[in-house]
Amino acid sequence: MDIREAIYGRRSVREYTTLPVDEATVRELIDAAQQAPSAMNQQPWRFTVIQDPAVLDELSRNAKAHMLATMPEGPHAAQFRSQLADDNYHIFYGAPLLIVISANMQAPWIVEDCAMAAQNLMLAAYAVGLGSCWIGFAKGYLNTPEGKQLASLPQEWVPVAPIIAGVPRAPAAAKLRNAPDIRWLR
């Protein structure tokens, strides 16, 4: 698969089979993530692999409660509150794998660095036939002392990108993209 096919074909997947992702594939995804550029070549990213269904269930419950308790008002707040209050809603969508990309330091560009690693990981997942999705609902809870403890994250790490992956139940439909807003200075 060439890079253009991966970029244009990758979608956020929210329905997974229960098939596990083997360790060799997980390592392949993390290796791809590590190829991302980083500010001053600091390579601050660290990876926590969570495959235990009980831990994923508890993280989902606790992250939902945390979001409901801390979510500010905004254009999507009512929709999010309704979704998060649903006992049947699992923020990880039944995916068998969560990879939390964290930074091991406080630095000005750790979010950008980890985001680029996450994009590489998601493109690599698509290239090997897996689906993936960045789970923003998990980030706030993972950045609490309790969340870090449950996810076995060192307290000094900063979780940035919780990425789920697994075998998709069905191909994700393509979404239309808005025309780009381009401003040229010549």
Side-chain angles (χ1 to χ4, degrees):
M1 172 178 304
D2 73 8
I3 190 67
R4 186 173 176 80
E5 182 181 349
I7 290 170
Y8 283 78
R10 192 218 61 81
R11 297 286 176 260
S12 293
V13 173
R14 293 182 176 87
E15 291 185 58
Y16 295 88
T17 69
T18 57
L19 293 172
V21 179
D22 64 88
E23 184 176 331
T25 301
V26 172
R27 289 183 181 278
E28 183 179 340
L29 300 181
I30 291 171
D31 183 60
Q34 291 187 135
Q35 303 311 308
S38 64
M40 305 295 293
N41 197 32
Q42 291 290 303
Q43 302 178 43
W45 42 71
R46 299 295 180 264
F47 305 90
T48 303
V49 178
I50 303 171
Q51 295 177 298
D52 183 330
V55 173
L56 291 170
D57 289 346
E58 190 171 352
L59 281 170
S60 178
R61 279 191 307 276
N62 294 352
K64 286 171 32 174
H66 179 78
M67 281 289 295
L68 285 168
T70 62
M71 185 181 352
E73 289 302 320
H76 301 289
Q79 174 191 352
F80 291 160
R81 280 192 181 89
S82 173
Q83 191 174 14
L84 293 165
D86 182 349
D87 289 337
N88 295 315
Y89 174 64
H90 197 287
I91 68 170
F92 302 122
Y93 301 98
L97 170 65
L98 170 65
I99 300 175
V100 180
I101 303 174
S102 304
N104 70 336
M105 64 179 76
Q106 291 285 349
W109 300 287
I110 60 173
V111 170
E112 292 85 349
D113 293 344
C114 290
M116 287 188 283
Q119 181 68 22
N120 277 12
L121 188 145
M122 292 186 289
L123 289 170
Y126 180 75
V128 297
L130 298 177
S132 65
C133 188
W134 184 315
I135 305 298
F137 282 163
K139 184 180 172 188
Y141 178 67
L142 287 169
N143 273 290
T144 67
E146 300 79 21
K148 288 179 180 184
Q149 182 177 5
L150 180 56
S152 296
L153 295 165
Q155 288 298 317
E156 65 273 12
W157 286 13
V158 180
V160 174
I163 308 294
I164 56 172
V167 176
R169 283 200 186 277
K175 304 282 184 182
L176 291 177
R177 300 293 180 199
N178 297 332
D181 182 352
I182 302 172
R183 297 167 194 251
W184 298 92
L185 301 176
R186 297 180 185 195

